[in-house]
Amino acid sequence: MQDPRLKIRCPRKALQWRVYFVLCILMLTAGSYAQTQPKISSSVDTTTIKIGEQINFTVTVETDTLAQVIFPEGQTFSPLETVEAFETDTAIKADRMTLRKIYALTQFDSGLYKLPAQRIEINGKGYFTDSTQIKVADVPVDTLAQKMYDIKPLIEVEKGNSGLWKWLLGILLALVVAGGLAWWFFLRKKPLSEEEKVALLPPYDRALMELKKLENSKYLIQDEYKEYYSELTNIVRSYLEEDVNITALESTTDELITKLEMLRDAGELQIDNGTLQQFKRILQTADLVKFAKSKPDTTVAEHDRKAIEEIVTKTHEALPEPTEEELMEQAEYQEELALKKQRKKWRMAGLAALALLVLTTGASIAYYGFDYVKDTVLGHPTKKLLEGEWVASTYGYPPISMETPEVLIRQDVKLTPDMKANIQDLQIFMYRNSKALFTVGTTSTTLTQQVEPNFEQSVEMFIEDLERKGAKNIITKQEEFTTVSGVKGIKVYGSGQFAVPESDELVRGKYSILLFGGKGFQQQVILTWLEGDEYAEKIVERIQRTLEVKTDV
């Protein structure tokens, strides 16, 4: 029989072990949770600076080595301005890492400013740093030590053509390339080939050179008598046609001999009858070889070549010396031929440049499209804005940050007594391009009462202002808008017929109003552009994509 006390003690011991086991598990879990929980800290090297001086704001994050940490970027420290964000310093120890990032901040107006809490994203979860008060003190100026002058009036400055040199450089390079190609292919003096060098020789020298070449040929060795005599007679006939100025190539043997006899009888060619008879015999032998398939002895063929060489020499010596008038006519003729060749080269160069231009234009149109090429050549105002250097800046307070093609200019605004009852401060910045009919503006309004802004009233006032300026048939749509950082607002957009400045003309245009705000303040971004302007559409899309607003006043 068992002792009853054992029944009581055993469950107690079992219960105690269970409690110890659970406590151990909880302690281990708590330890591991403490290890994985990230730690965020921030500090500034000073809380008091002078205007334009910098402070270093340091953010330190301690977390696991596998964690993904995203630090704030851009102008997120407003009303302070970011001068520089330094590279993140990383230190790893065991399975923990410490990330340290420093931001250089400044402010150019005196006063007491709040450095807002910054959001650090770790593994998709947001953690915030502490906010800090920064005092910006005036720089003391000794007005007695130097003479003071009145503020100079504003000077109207024409907008510089900073991008003109790029166009001029591109055109200059294109002309240099086209000129180089034209010179290389058409205008430069190209090295002559052997055939061209022979063709430029005087008829007498060329005939002797060709006869010498015929002597070294293999026609007779290969029993090619027809080719031999054909080339022999062509050489002498070409010489007579060029130097003696008779139609020798198309004449028969008898006709050619008759023409030479007539020149001899007229005293224009001093050649004896024996030379003519010998020439006639060689021509008749050549006719028999070419047409009757006669085959003379090799020694006869070689003798005929030598005889033709002597006939060419005698004929050349028998020609009278050209008169001064003939020489002048020949010089003028040669000069005119050179001019014709030069004009032909220039025409070819012009046609080549025109063909290159047409080919380049056609290829550009095929690749980019006709409208893009036309806008690039003629210059489209919004295309220049889209492809120019953009400006990233913050406007007004509460601040509105965004990228724009040009910096927005502060507008002078005077509050009426009725407006002062509800508005404490109103800051407007605007850029307007009348040629492109493009406008972008921001409005930051601080209310006198801590009440929610009336967005509907703001939109109605904007539409009424458009109608007062001549706009008609205005269509209005509305939807929710969210910035990249997650700030939600309202987007009111639509189209209508807008009046062209300084004209009675109406054009189809579009508009977009982005409204944000909270208790005691309101922020607006207004955009207007020409309907169908694809470059303006891309500008608006980029502005809206880069838009950020601060809702912490």
Side-chain angles (χ1 to χ4, degrees):
M1 188 173 179
Q2 293 183 352
D3 189 348
R5 290 177 296 178
L6 294 176
K7 296 181 180 179
I8 298 173
R9 289 175 182 174
C10 290
R12 281 184 183 174
K13 290 182 178 180
L15 182 59
Q16 289 176 354
W17 281 108
R18 291 176 183 173
V19 172
Y20 291 151
F21 180 74
V22 172
L23 289 175
C24 291
I25 294 299
L26 290 175
M27 290 175 66
L28 291 173
T29 305
S32 63
Y33 177 77
Q35 289 179 356
T36 57
Q37 184 71 8
K39 295 180 181 180
I40 311 294
S41 62
S42 61
S43 63
V44 292
D45 58 350
T46 180
T47 58
T48 303
I49 60 172
K50 293 180 181 180
I51 293 177
E53 288 185 344
Q54 296 181 12
I55 64 170
N56 288 331
F57 176 66
T58 305
V59 180
T60 305
V61 177
E62 183 181 348
T63 183
D64 296 336
T65 55
L66 299 179
Q68 183 181 9
V69 181
I70 299 177
F71 288 95
E73 297 291 342
Q75 298 290 343
T76 63
F77 299 92
S78 183
L80 297 179
E81 296 184 17
T82 305
V83 178
E84 184 178 1
F86 298 96
E87 293 292 332
T88 305
D89 185 18
T90 305
I92 300 176
K93 184 177 181 182
D95 60 344
R96 302 285 286 178
M97 67 176 177
T98 301
L99 304 178
R100 185 168 174 265
K101 192 172 184 66
I102 300 176
Y103 299 88
L105 310 175
T106 189
Q107 176 55 251
F108 295 97
D109 288 330
S110 60
L112 187 63
Y113 296 92
K114 178 183 177 183
L115 175 59
Q118 298 297 309
R119 186 179 188 273
I120 314 296
E121 187 175 307
I122 303 175
N123 292 332
K125 184 178 180 181
Y127 298 85
F128 290 88
T129 63
D130 296 331
S131 59
T132 308
Q133 292 288 342
I134 304 297
K135 182 179 180 181
V136 182
D138 283 327
V139 178
V141 179
D142 187 0
T143 58
L144 300 177
Q146 58 182 356
K147 187 176 180 180
M148 303 299 292
Y149 298 92
D150 292 335
I151 299 175
K152 293 184 178 180
L154 295 175
I155 300 176
E156 191 76 21
V157 179
E158 294 183 2
K159 187 174 181 180
N161 297 322
S162 59
L164 182 60
W165 69 272
K166 297 180 181 178
W167 285 94
L168 294 177
L169 180 60
I171 294 173
L172 180 61
L173 289 175
L175 291 176
V176 169
V177 171
L181 292 174
W183 176 82
W184 178 262
F185 288 106
F186 304 107
L187 303 180
R188 74 182 177 99
K189 190 175 181 180
K190 301 177 183 178
L192 299 176
S193 62
E194 290 299 325
E195 293 78 6
E196 290 173 333
K197 289 179 181 179
V198 172
L200 291 176
L201 291 174
Y204 173 67
D205 296 334
R206 186 166 67 251
L208 293 181
M209 179 181 290
E210 291 175 348
L211 288 171
K212 192 69 177 177
K213 185 177 178 182
L214 180 62
E215 180 184 3
N216 298 325
S217 68
K218 297 181 180 180
Y219 290 139
L220 299 179
I221 299 175
Q222 299 173 354
D223 287 342
E224 295 176 349
Y225 286 90
K226 180 178 180 181
E227 287 77 5
Y228 179 84
Y229 273 95
S230 295
E231 190 166 337
L232 179 65
T233 54
N234 282 335
I235 292 172
V236 67
R237 285 174 179 269
S238 298
Y239 163 73
L240 292 174
E241 186 153 322
E242 290 185 66
D243 219 2
V244 185
N245 297 321
I246 59 174
T247 54
L249 291 172
E250 298 177 358
S251 299
T252 63
T253 298
D254 293 336
E255 290 174 347
L256 179 57
I257 297 300
T258 301
K259 291 177 182 178
L260 291 174
E261 290 176 346
M262 292 175 64
L263 288 175
R264 182 196 60 185
D265 296 340
E268 297 180 6
L269 182 65
Q270 300 174 3
I271 189 171
D272 58 274
N273 189 51
T275 301
L276 285 177
Q277 293 302 319
Q278 185 181 22
F279 183 39
K280 182 177 181 180
R281 181 189 62 76
I282 295 173
L283 292 177
Q284 289 173 346
T285 301
D287 291 339
L288 290 174
V289 172
K290 289 188 289 184
F291 304 112
K293 296 183 180 181
S294 174
K295 186 178 178 181
D297 191 57
T298 303
T299 56
V300 175
E302 292 177 349
H303 180 268
D304 289 345
R305 188 202 62 79
K306 292 180 181 178
I308 288 295
E309 187 174 341
E310 292 176 0
I311 292 170
V312 169
T313 303
K314 290 180 180 180
T315 305
H316 179 70
E317 293 174 351
L319 290 173
E321 292 292 330
T323 63
E324 186 176 352
E325 293 181 358
E326 291 176 340
L327 291 175
M328 288 296 296
E329 288 178 359
Q330 291 179 3
E332 290 177 1
Y333 177 72
Q334 294 297 330
E335 186 177 348
E336 186 171 348
L337 282 179
L339 287 175
K340 285 183 178 180
K341 290 182 179 179
Q342 190 71 12
R343 284 194 292 268
K344 183 178 180 182
K345 289 181 177 180
W346 280 111
R347 282 197 298 271
M348 293 296 294
L351 290 174
L354 181 61
L356 180 63
L357 179 62
V358 171
L359 183 63
T360 304
T361 304
S364 301
I365 292 175
Y367 186 79
Y368 295 105
F370 176 76
D371 292 335
Y372 184 87
V373 174
K374 178 191 64 137
D375 295 337
T376 302
V377 174
L378 301 181
H380 195 283
T382 50
K383 183 177 183 294
K384 291 181 179 178
L385 290 176
L386 177 64
E387 297 176 353
E389 186 176 353
W390 282 52
V391 179
S393 187
T394 302
Y395 302 96
Y397 186 78
I400 302 174
S401 302
M402 60 183 176
E403 293 182 6
T404 54
E406 297 286 347
V407 67
L408 308 188
I409 306 301
R410 183 187 290 272
Q411 307 295 308
D412 293 330
V413 180
K414 292 184 179 180
L415 297 177
T416 63
D418 293 339
M419 297 171 65
K420 289 181 179 179
N422 299 317
I423 299 175
Q424 178 180 346
D425 188 24
L426 179 60
Q427 300 178 33
I428 299 177
F429 294 82
M430 183 75 67
Y431 168 76
R432 181 181 290 107
N433 189 315
S434 57
K435 291 183 179 179
L437 299 176
F438 177 80
T439 304
V440 54
T442 66
T443 303
S444 298
T445 307
T446 305
L447 306 176
T448 56
Q449 303 293 330
Q450 293 296 314
V451 296
E452 295 290 341
N454 191 339
F455 291 153
E456 293 183 1
Q457 184 179 2
S458 299
V459 174
E460 289 177 2
M461 292 176 62
F462 173 76
I463 300 299
E464 290 175 359
D465 182 62
L466 290 178
E467 291 176 343
R468 280 196 302 270
K469 293 178 180 178
K472 296 180 180 180
N473 303 324
I474 300 175
I475 300 173
T476 301
K477 300 178 183 179
Q478 182 174 320
E479 64 182 26
E480 188 179 84
F481 182 85
T482 305
T483 66
V484 177
S485 62
V487 180
K488 294 186 184 231
I490 296 175
K491 177 181 178 180
V492 179
Y493 62 100
S495 62
Q497 292 179 296
F498 299 140
V500 178
E502 301 179 359
S503 173
D504 297 333
E505 182 184 359
L506 291 177
V507 294
R508 295 292 303 178
K510 290 185 177 182
Y511 70 91
S512 178
I513 312 172
L514 305 173
L515 302 105
F516 306 89
K519 289 187 176 181
F521 71 94
Q522 178 177 310
Q523 299 150 301
Q524 294 182 25
V525 176
I526 300 174
L527 297 155
T528 61
W529 66 97
L530 195 63
E531 186 174 345
D533 189 344
E534 59 179 7
Y535 307 112
E537 295 280 358
K538 293 179 180 179
I539 293 174
V540 172
E541 180 183 351
R542 179 172 174 180
I543 291 175
Q544 293 180 354
R545 189 173 62 249
T546 60
L547 174 64
E548 288 291 349
V549 295
K550 278 287 187 180
T551 57
D552 184 10
V553 181

